[in-house]
Amino acid sequence: MNSITLSKPILKSLSSLDTTPKLSIPRKISHHQSKRNKVCSIKSIYKQETRNFSAGLVSNRADWQTSCAILASNVVSQQSNEKNDGGGKAEIISINGVHQTLELVPIQQETNLPKPLSITDLSPAPMHGSQLRVAYQGVPGAYSEAAAGKAYPNCVAIPCDQFEVAFQAVGHWIADRAVLPVENSLGGSIHRNYDLLLRHNLHIVGEVQLPVHHCLLALPGVRKEDLNRVISHPQALSQCESTLTKLGLNVAREAVDDTAGAAEFIATHNLRYTAAIASSRAAELYGLQILADGIQDDSSNVTRFVMLAREPIIPRTDRPFKTSIVFAHNEGMSVLFKVLSAFEFRNISLTKIESRPFKNRPIRVVGDASTGGTAKHFEYMFYIDFEASMADPRAQNALAEVQEFTSFLRVLGSYPMDMTAWSPSIRDL
């Protein structure tokens, strides 16, 4: 696997906090503005210390930590607005003479704190453009980290505790790219990321396919017979379901946020009766032993990741390209055949078609109750990947025809296909 520059998890999850009051973030400031003139001073009301951070591009990893913690807490706050109506304490900050209120999330004591920052951790981070900063979901040792290293060798990897945070990290200029999974050959599509692609205004600029090699991990000295629980990401659990049964493990299976996070959780809390499904690299990082190697149900297990950026790339025709679109129609699925015909007529191959609920209009009613009743149909949006570049006249003409049949059409990205050789015997992790 290509080398990758590791960083500590900076987008720290705040989902374990009991209270998550809404966090007000100051107005967005362009990254082109001078950070000398845009410095905010935030004093925590729960911890007696003062931090300064740049309101534009961050300049060191400590600044990243402050900015990303605010970003992560904002994601949690948005998800729990209905549940929490603002029970946190507020702090007044001043930006260019304008006072603004910042509601802070209480700090809880953790029994296992990360090791103190070293001098190398406090060295200046690369400025925008000198080295790519790539956000991924998970902690060090996650498969997404390996995908980020394969897509962008020698990048600065930024772990995120949620897919949503990775999207926002790119949107708020904390990261230059995000590398996120969209489908697996065994577990199928990662629906959360398909929904987030539509919610956020980011562009797909590439793809990478990564062989996934799962291991059963536990604390040193633990035997398989001692286990009563296996934890991992839902995708990993589904990819190893048959193998776990064949191993004779009569254990509870519980889902967590990511595979490497499951390994970290076992090591941190010294759980002697719990195993994790994760990579061999996670075992090395968190001091766990491998009870079983290669437990995926299919040796040719592979996950497809997409690379996301704020701006699209210029499509070309000198190499194989793929284009991803999403569309919907007021008349429901009846238009699907016409859309597919637009590609078939021009000999454009489809590589994927995915339907997702149309959240703004979930039900379509057909008919009249006065003349014999009504029928109710679910409404869907359709995601399609096809093998053609938007620089190809065939693709342009196909989308022009598709637009006639749809009420909504968006190009998510036109990007180079991953044409690297792959073998199920290759272990990237």
Side-chain angles (χ1 to χ4, degrees), residues 348-368:
I348 298 176
S349 299
L350 304 185
T351 60
K352 183 178 178 62
I353 181 168
E354 176 82 14
S355 63
R356 295 293 298 147
F358 200 159
K359 294 184 178 181
N360 293 332
R361 191 175 65 251
I363 295 291
R364 179 168 56 94
V365 179
V366 178
D368 188 348

Side-chain angles (χ1 to χ4, degrees), residues 72-250:
S73 63
N74 185 47
V75 172
V76 176
S77 301
Q78 292 172 353
Q79 295 173 346
S80 58
N81 271 345
E82 298 298 326
K83 184 177 180 181
N84 300 282
D85 54 358
K89 299 181 180 179
E91 181 73 8
I92 304 299
I93 65 175
S94 178
I95 301 179
N96 291 341
V98 179
H99 295 288
Q100 299 191 29
T101 301
L102 180 68
E103 297 180 358
L104 298 180
V105 177
I107 296 176
Q108 286 191 344
Q109 295 294 330
E110 297 183 3
T111 56
N112 294 281
L113 297 176
K115 65 179 182 179
L117 295 175
S118 65
I119 187 64
T120 56
D121 296 317
L122 300 176
S123 60
M127 296 302 293
H128 177 68
S130 62
Q131 189 175 19
L132 280 178
R133 299 161 298 178
V134 180
Y136 68 91
Q137 191 273 332
V139 299
Y143 294 104
S144 294
E145 180 201 37
K150 183 177 181 180
Y152 300 106
N154 302 317
C155 67
V156 175
I158 305 177
C160 306
D161 73 324
Q162 301 175 47
F163 292 131
E164 173 84 15
V165 175
F167 274 85
Q168 290 203 19
V170 178
H172 288 78
W173 297 84
I174 295 171
D176 301 297
R177 299 286 189 273
V179 175
L180 297 170
V182 290
E183 59 180 326
N184 176 265
S185 58
L186 292 178
S189 298
I190 291 85
H191 295 133
R192 176 62 176 162
N193 282 334
Y194 274 98
D195 294 338
L196 290 172
L197 280 171
L198 191 60
R199 181 181 302 176
H200 293 268
N201 191 28
L202 299 182
H203 304 269
I204 302 177
V205 295
E207 66 172 2
V208 61
Q209 297 178 0
L210 185 77
V212 175
H213 189 93
H214 289 307
C215 301
L216 187 67
L217 311 180
L219 291 172
V222 174
R223 303 174 303 169
K224 287 188 290 186
E225 296 77 14
D226 300 329
L227 301 176
N228 57 24
R229 181 174 62 157
V230 173
I231 61 176
S232 192
H233 189 274
Q235 280 277 334
L237 291 173
S238 66
Q239 293 165 24
C240 304
E241 184 175 0
S242 298
T243 305
L244 291 177
T245 302
K246 291 178 182 178
L247 289 175
L249 297 179
N250 186 20

Side-chain angles (χ1 to χ4, degrees), residues 39-40 53 63 76 95 139 152 192 217 265 282 299 333 340 393:
V39 176
C40 310
F53 70 94
D63 291 346
V76 176
I95 301 179
V139 299
Y152 300 106
R192 176 62 176 162
L217 311 180
F265 184 77
S299 60
M333 296 181 61
L340 298 181

